[in-house]
């Protein structure tokens, strides 16, 4: 049972936008601006796509953007491309006792 | 550019101790810029935070695993390690080592992962 709740799957056609939600509590997502998002291609290690809610690491396309409102964070992929088809996980810092939690993961399918 | 590489047995007996090592290159394990983390992923399932360690040796364990877990730094070898005691089939997973960056709040670098199967 993951601490953060994500939709199991989302889909879109090439060029469209999709948004993945990540719902937590005031002990994690809502309590800190330390939400990050990871892309996992089949058989590969996860890759950091967004950190600190909305910051993009160098090399990540600006088609990927993040935001947060209350206890829910979101990842939006604009101008969807075939290579964006992957699993996406959110995560959040959760304080010094629990420390770090992940979402349940969302499969993005490009139709 | 940090590179991380996991190593250790791919098969562990039920009730035994799972031991993995992560070798870090391209940066110092003693750097205050990083914490060092272990993450796992059971087959077909999501990611689970196992625990992490700071450059000073402070540890931050998943409460559900804390009683079975030791994470250690080995600065002379630029490595850190994971020991998980009393394993069961539920501990079968791909184990990743990673670097926790920023304020120790996001996983910027990942190893390729190593599959560990627990079986009797």
């Amino acid at each position: 049972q993951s601490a953060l709740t994500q939709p199991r799957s989302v889909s879109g056609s090439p060029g469209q936008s999709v948004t993945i939600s990540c719902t937590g509590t005031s002990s994690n997502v809502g309590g800190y601006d330390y939400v990050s998002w990871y892309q996992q291609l089949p058989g590969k290690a996860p890759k950091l796509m967004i950190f600190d809610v909305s910051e993009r690491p160098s090399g990540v396309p600006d088609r990927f953007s993040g935001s947060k409102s209350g206890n829910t964070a979101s990842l939006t992929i604009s101008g969807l491309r075939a290579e964006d088809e992957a699993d996406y996980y959110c995560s959040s810092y959760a304080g010094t006792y629990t420390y770090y939690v992940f979402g349940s993961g969302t499969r993005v399918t490009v139709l | 550019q940090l590179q991380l590489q996991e190593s250790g047995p791919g098969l562990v007996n039920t009730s035994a101790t799972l031991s993995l090592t992560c070798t870090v290159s391209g940066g110092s394990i003693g750097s205050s810029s990083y914490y060092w983390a272990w993450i796992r992923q059971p087959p077909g399932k999501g990611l689970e935070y196992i625990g992490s360690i700071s450059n000073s040796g402070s540890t931050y364990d998943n409460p559900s695993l804390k009683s079975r877990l030791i994470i250690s730094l080995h600065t002379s070898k630029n490595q850190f390690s994971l020991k998980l005691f009393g394993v069961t089939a539920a501990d079968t997973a791909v184990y990743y080592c990673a670097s926790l960056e920023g304020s120790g709040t996001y996983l910027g670098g990942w190893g390729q992962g190593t599959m560990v199967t627990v079986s009797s």
Side-chain angles (χ1 to χ4, degrees), chain A residues 29-85:
Chain A
V29 173
Y32 309 95
D33 287 333
Y34 293 136
V35 176
S36 48
W37 290 88
Y38 303 89
Q39 176 193 65
Q40 188 176 34
L41 298 170
K44 299 295 187 181
K47 173 188 174 184
L48 179 69
M49 304 300 284
I50 296 287
F51 67 95
D52 293 354
V53 177
S54 60
E55 299 297 315
R56 268 189 317 275
S58 173
V60 172
D62 60 6
R63 301 184 294 103
F64 292 84
S65 62
S67 63
K68 190 187 86 166
S69 178
N71 295 337
T72 299
S74 299
L75 174 72
T76 297
I77 310 173
S78 305
L80 199 61
R81 302 176 67 162
E83 60 259 37
D84 299 332
E85 192 161 281

Side-chain angles (χ1 to χ4, degrees), chain B:
Chain B
Q1 180 81 358
L2 271 181
Q3 291 189 322
L4 301 97
Q5 177 69 59
E6 306 87 353
S7 59
L11 182 64
V12 180
N13 289 329
T14 301
S15 78
T17 298
L18 183 160
S19 295
L20 295 174
T21 298
C22 182
T23 301
V24 178
S25 57
S28 171
I29 203 152
S31 170
S32 60
S33 298
Y34 307 104
Y35 287 16
W36 306 101
W38 290 98
I39 311 298
R40 70 181 181 180
Q41 185 171 34
K45 296 188 178 181
L47 301 169
E48 180 182 28
Y49 171 79
I50 298 172
S52 59
I53 187 166
S54 72
N55 67 309
S56 63
S58 297
T59 57
Y60 306 90
D61 300 335
N62 183 328
S64 69
L65 297 171
K66 189 177 182 68
S67 63
R68 300 195 290 132
L69 182 62
I70 294 178
I71 297 176
S72 305
L73 282 179
H74 309 281
T75 51
S76 64
K77 297 181 180 180
N78 223 38
Q79 295 175 333
F80 63 104
S81 65
L82 165 71
K83 288 189 185 297
L84 186 64
F85 304 98
V87 296
T88 69
D91 295 309
T92 293
V94 175
Y95 284 75
Y96 296 99
C97 61
S99 56
L100 262 174
E101 302 177 21
S103 304
T105 53
Y106 61 88
L107 296 155
W110 293 72
Q112 66 184 25
T114 187
M115 180 68 201
V116 179
T117 301
V118 178
S119 175
S120 56

